[in-house]
Amino acid sequence: MQDIENIEITCPSDAFLKIIKGKCKTTIIVLIKKGRNRFSEMKRTLPTISERMIAKQLNELESDDIIIRKVIEAMPLRVEYYLTEYGESIYPIVRDMRRWGYKHLEKLNTLEL
């Protein structure tokens, strides 16, 4: 049995935020869900993000079991990303969070006028 003093107690919301925190991670999740699941498609959709940063976010999402990377044995070789079953469970939350974010940005823009 583990010693209770050595177990880090975390807030469930913080656990969620740790997964999705990162440059455009929520956008990457949405892109994959909508079928833009190849690196080149993501790069075209996110032109202000470096290839290195996109790769880093994909690696983190894969490590967290949100996405899976599949190599397609064709000529030329292709790599595609898919949401895991676990990743599918986070998608509705991400979608709703982004909807709220858009509404908030609209509100901020109307306040500035």
Side-chain angles (χ1 to χ4, degrees):
M1 182 170 228
Q2 289 185 337
D3 180 5
I4 192 73
E5 292 176 22
N6 294 327
I7 298 175
E8 182 179 340
I9 307 297
T10 61
C11 170
S13 298
D14 289 345
F16 170 77
L17 292 173
K18 183 179 181 293
I19 297 297
I20 64 162
K21 184 179 178 185
K23 192 84 170 170
C24 294
K25 272 190 182 175
T26 59
T27 301
I28 290 170
I29 291 169
V30 170
L31 289 174
I32 292 170
K33 175 68 175 176
K34 292 187 175 191
R36 292 188 191 166
N37 58 349
R38 295 181 65 194
F39 188 90
S40 60
E41 295 170 318
M42 291 179 216
K43 178 61 183 147
R44 276 194 304 274
T45 305
L46 303 167
T48 60
I49 310 301
S50 71
E51 289 184 15
R52 190 169 140 230
M53 183 56 69
I54 294 171
K56 178 181 185 285
Q57 303 307 346
L58 288 167
N59 287 336
E60 288 177 9
L61 288 167
E62 188 175 12
S63 293
D64 290 330
D65 195 34
I66 302 300
I67 64 172
I68 188 167
R69 179 180 186 267
K70 289 190 179 179
V71 177
I72 311 296
E73 300 289 337
M75 284 301 189
L77 194 67
R78 288 192 336 246
V79 175
E80 295 180 349
Y81 297 90
Y82 297 91
L83 293 178
T84 62
E85 186 176 334
Y86 188 58
E88 288 284 349
S89 71
I90 202 174
Y91 174 75
I93 302 162
V94 167
R95 181 194 60 223
D96 290 344
M97 182 184 69
R98 288 172 52 86
R99 284 180 183 160
W100 187 90
Y102 283 124
K103 287 179 186 177
H104 183 66
L105 289 173
E106 286 175 16
K107 180 181 177 184
L108 290 176
N109 286 335
T110 59
L111 292 175
E112 291 175 2
L113 296 176

